[in-house]
């Protein structure tokens, strides 16, 4: 409201209203969820003949996404594509997510397929052309390739490596082989292991933007497994969601990394989780047993440290998490030397519409941590040991494929 008041005041004192001032007002309305005001500002721009920019359109699409106004999103996307024909995965993802939230799945699939076809044509990328297989050549010390097509590449990230170091190693290897560029489309924190996904192509390529659109549209699914401190908050097999806004802050000297805290004015954030098993660690010297909960997690949104913050906010911080579970870090780090968080699976569509699911087994250090504990069957209504074993023994690195764009 204050942004619009200032915007109106500028007109009364003869300050010229330019694309930049309109962008600022539209961005403010977008963050406030005022999508109808955004449409009014866009209409004023048209009447005043103020030129639209890509920033204007992206902010407007974001506003319509949060307002679940998918019809207006589609109209804006059509105008946006005429003015700015180059691929923009984030903009397309906003439209797809607006359609998804309105349960208009057929529309979401149609617009995604249409735009991807247009992008591939702009790039000269032929879906039916023969594969150029870089997979065997990419395998090298320190590189474990989980999956590779002409458009998507997945590697195994160990807790000792960083996302950035793996990216540079892949780029150097592809240069040696005369292969394509590679673009990071999703990252894992330093101590998180598991599937790391990349796109084969430059940051502006159709392939990279196809993957971005799926993440922005919440069509790509990342599945994590983690161990939380504390007794179970529900029975094995129970599903729940944690929705709470998040915001980033600069960490203190003791914790130099950026951390995220719960704020009423933060970004919309939602995490779905499934209780898989209970564990316990026998107390010593008369101390009570320590209890733990093994959880499968799917972040619906993708905020920094989202899983860690949401579970900590429920009083169930991840094991050995120094930032959000510091009270128990000293004791837990003796048998689990790093934060117990692993990206076990990513599911998305390749550029040819084929469903790809890439999996990574739980890393050896996390398996060792679970083996240090005992299965707690005390309050479990199902066979917990079987469930836990199924998770630990995640297998099959080859993707499961299924033709069609139906989600």
């Amino acid at each position: 409201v204050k942004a619009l008041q200032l915007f109106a005041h500028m007109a009364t004192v003869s300050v010229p209203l330019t694309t930049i001032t309109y962008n600022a007002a539209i961005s403010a309305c977008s963050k406030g969820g005022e999508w109808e005001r955004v449409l009014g500002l866009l209409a004023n721009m048209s009447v005043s003949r103020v030129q639209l920019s890509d920033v204007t359109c992206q902010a407007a699409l974001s506003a319509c996404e949060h307002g679940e106004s998918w019809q207006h999103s589609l109209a804006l996307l059509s105008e946006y594509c005429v003015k700015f024909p180059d691929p923009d995965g984030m903009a397309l993802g906003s439209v797809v997510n607006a359609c998804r939230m309105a349960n208009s799945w057929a529309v979401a699939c149609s617009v995604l397929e249409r735009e991807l076809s247009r992008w591939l044509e702009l790039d000269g990328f032929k879906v039916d052309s023969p594969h150029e297989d870089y997979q065997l050549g990419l395998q090298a010390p320190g590189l474990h390739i989980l999956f590779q097509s002409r458009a998507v590449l997945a590697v195994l990230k160990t807790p000792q490596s960083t996302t950035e170091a793996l990216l540079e190693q892949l780029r150097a290897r592809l240069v040696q082989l005369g292969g394509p560029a590679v673009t990071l489309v999703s990252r894992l924190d330093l101590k998180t292991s598991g599937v790391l996904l990349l796109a084969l192509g430059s940051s502006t390529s159709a392939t990279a933007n196809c993957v971005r659109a799926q993440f922005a549209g919440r069509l790509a699914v990342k599945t994590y497994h983690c161990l939380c401190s504390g007794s179970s908050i529900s029975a094995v097999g129970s599903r729940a969601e944690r929705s709470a806004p998040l915001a980033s802050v600069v960490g203190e000297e003791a914790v130099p990394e950026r951390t995220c805290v719960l704020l009423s004015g933060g970004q919309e954030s939602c995490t779905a989780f499934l209780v898989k098993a209970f564990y316990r660690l026998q107390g010593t010297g008369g101390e009570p047993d320590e209890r733990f909960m093994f959880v499968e997690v799917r972040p619906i949104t993708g905020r920094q440290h989202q899983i860690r913050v949401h579970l900590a906010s429920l009083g169930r911080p991840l094991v050995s998490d120094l930032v959000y579970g510091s009270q128990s870090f000293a004791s837990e780090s003796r048998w689990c030397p790093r934060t117990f968080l692993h990206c076990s699976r990513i599911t998305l569509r390749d550029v040819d519409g084929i469903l790809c699911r890439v999996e990574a087994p739980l890393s050896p250090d996390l398996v060792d941590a679970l083996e240090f504990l005992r299965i707690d069957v005390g309050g479990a209504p199902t066979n917990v040991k079987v469930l836990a074993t199924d998770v630990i023994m995640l297998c099959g690195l080859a993707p499961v494929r299924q033709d069609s764009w139906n989600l």
Side-chain angles (χ1 to χ4, degrees):
V1 175
K2 290 183 178 179
L4 289 178
Q5 290 173 344
L6 178 59
F7 186 77
H9 178 68
M10 291 173 66
T12 62
V13 295
S14 301
V15 175
L17 299 179
T18 64
T19 301
I20 294 175
T21 53
Y22 269 104
N23 285 350
I26 289 173
S27 295
C29 291
S30 175
K31 291 176 181 177
E34 299 285 346
W35 65 271
E36 291 176 322
R37 292 179 184 267
V38 168
L39 295 179
L41 288 169
L42 288 174
N44 288 343
M45 290 184 73
S46 179
V47 171
S48 304
R49 297 188 177 181
V50 178
Q51 185 174 2
L52 288 173
S53 71
D54 57 342
V55 175
T56 315
C57 295
Q58 288 168 359
L61 286 169
S62 178
C64 290
E65 172 189 2
H66 296 301
E68 300 184 26
S69 179
W70 64 272
Q71 296 96 335
H72 288 105
S73 290
L74 290 174
L76 283 172
L77 181 67
S78 296
E79 184 174 359
Y80 180 71
C81 292
V82 171
K83 294 180 179 295
F84 310 100
D86 291 337
D88 188 334
M90 298 303 293
L92 177 58
S94 293
V95 177
V96 169
N97 191 42
C99 295
R100 183 192 63 83
M101 289 192 293
N103 290 321
S104 298
W105 289 103
V107 178
C109 295
S110 175
V111 69
L112 184 62
E113 185 174 16
R114 183 193 70 207
E115 285 304 297
L116 177 57
S117 296
R118 186 176 66 83
W119 294 348
L120 293 173
E121 186 176 348
L122 285 173
D123 271 10
F125 191 106
K126 296 182 179 179
V127 172
D128 296 331
S129 62
H131 268 274
E132 296 180 58
D133 191 355
Y134 299 100
Q135 185 168 344
L136 294 177
L138 276 174
Q139 297 285 7
L143 282 179
H144 184 168
I145 308 301
L146 299 176
F147 171 71
Q148 189 257 317
S149 68
R150 289 187 303 136
V152 177
L153 178 68
V155 298
L156 177 65
K157 180 189 173 300
T158 66
Q160 294 79 27
S161 61
T162 67
T163 295
E164 291 72 22
L166 275 176
L167 176 63
E168 290 308 310
Q169 189 176 2
L170 282 166
R171 283 174 172 165
R173 186 67 177 148
L174 283 164
V175 167
Q176 290 178 348
L177 297 171
V182 64
T183 299
L184 188 66
V185 289
S186 180
R187 71 182 308 279
L188 296 176
D189 290 338
L190 171 62
K191 296 179 181 180
T192 303
S193 54
V195 183
L196 180 65
L197 189 72
L198 305 101
L200 288 173
S202 69
S203 60
T204 60
S205 66
T207 51
N209 278 284
C210 172
V211 179
R212 285 197 194 103
Q214 292 182 71
F215 275 107
R218 303 180 189 177
L219 300 181
V221 178
K222 295 180 76 173
T223 303
Y224 291 79
H225 285 91
C226 58
L227 186 67
C228 307
S229 300
S231 59
S232 178
I233 56 179
S234 190
V236 168
S238 298
R239 299 178 184 271
E241 287 188 359
R242 173 58 168 154
S243 295
L246 300 181
S248 296
V249 297
V250 178
E252 300 175 355
E253 290 186 7
V255 186
E257 65 180 307
R258 288 174 60 86
T259 61
C260 297
V261 296
L262 296 172
L263 292 175
S264 59
Q267 291 181 299
E268 170 206 4
S269 305
C270 182
T271 305
F273 60 90
L274 168 66
V275 178
K276 299 293 290 186
F278 308 139
Y279 287 86
R280 71 166 63 200
L281 179 62
Q282 186 172 1
T284 57
E287 293 292 324
D289 291 357
E290 296 179 56
R291 296 179 183 276
F292 304 92
M293 180 174 64
F294 192 67
V295 183
E296 179 177 291
V297 183
R298 291 187 178 185
I300 309 302
T301 53
R303 314 302 180 200
Q304 184 182 16
H305 298 178
Q306 176 178 313
I307 294 173
R308 297 161 64 189
V309 177
H310 273 174
L311 285 168
S313 73
L314 295 172
R316 300 296 183 272
L318 270 58
V319 164
S320 295
D321 189 338
L322 176 62
V323 181
Y324 306 109
S326 55
Q327 291 182 342
S328 54
F329 176 78
S331 60
E332 292 170 353
S333 61
R334 291 197 294 267
W335 51 270
C336 184
R338 53 107 171 179
T339 303
F340 198 119
L341 183 62
H342 179 80
C343 181
S344 53
R345 182 167 59 250
I346 293 181
T347 306
L348 78 166
R349 301 278 175 183
D350 208 339
V351 292
D352 52 9
I354 293 176
L355 181 67
C356 297
R357 187 176 72 192
V358 187
E359 297 183 341
L362 203 63
S363 60
D365 62 329
L366 299 185
V367 172
D368 289 343
L370 287 181
E371 291 179 347
F372 185 80
L373 307 174
R374 291 190 306 171
I375 288 286
D376 183 2
V377 296
T382 61
N383 188 339
V384 180
K385 188 170 184 179
V386 172
L387 286 170
T389 303
D390 287 344
V391 175
I392 295 172
M393 300 302 292
L394 289 169
C395 61
L397 300 183
V400 175
R401 290 174 169 264
Q402 174 183 326
D403 293 324
S404 99
W405 270 99
N406 295 326
L407 301 177

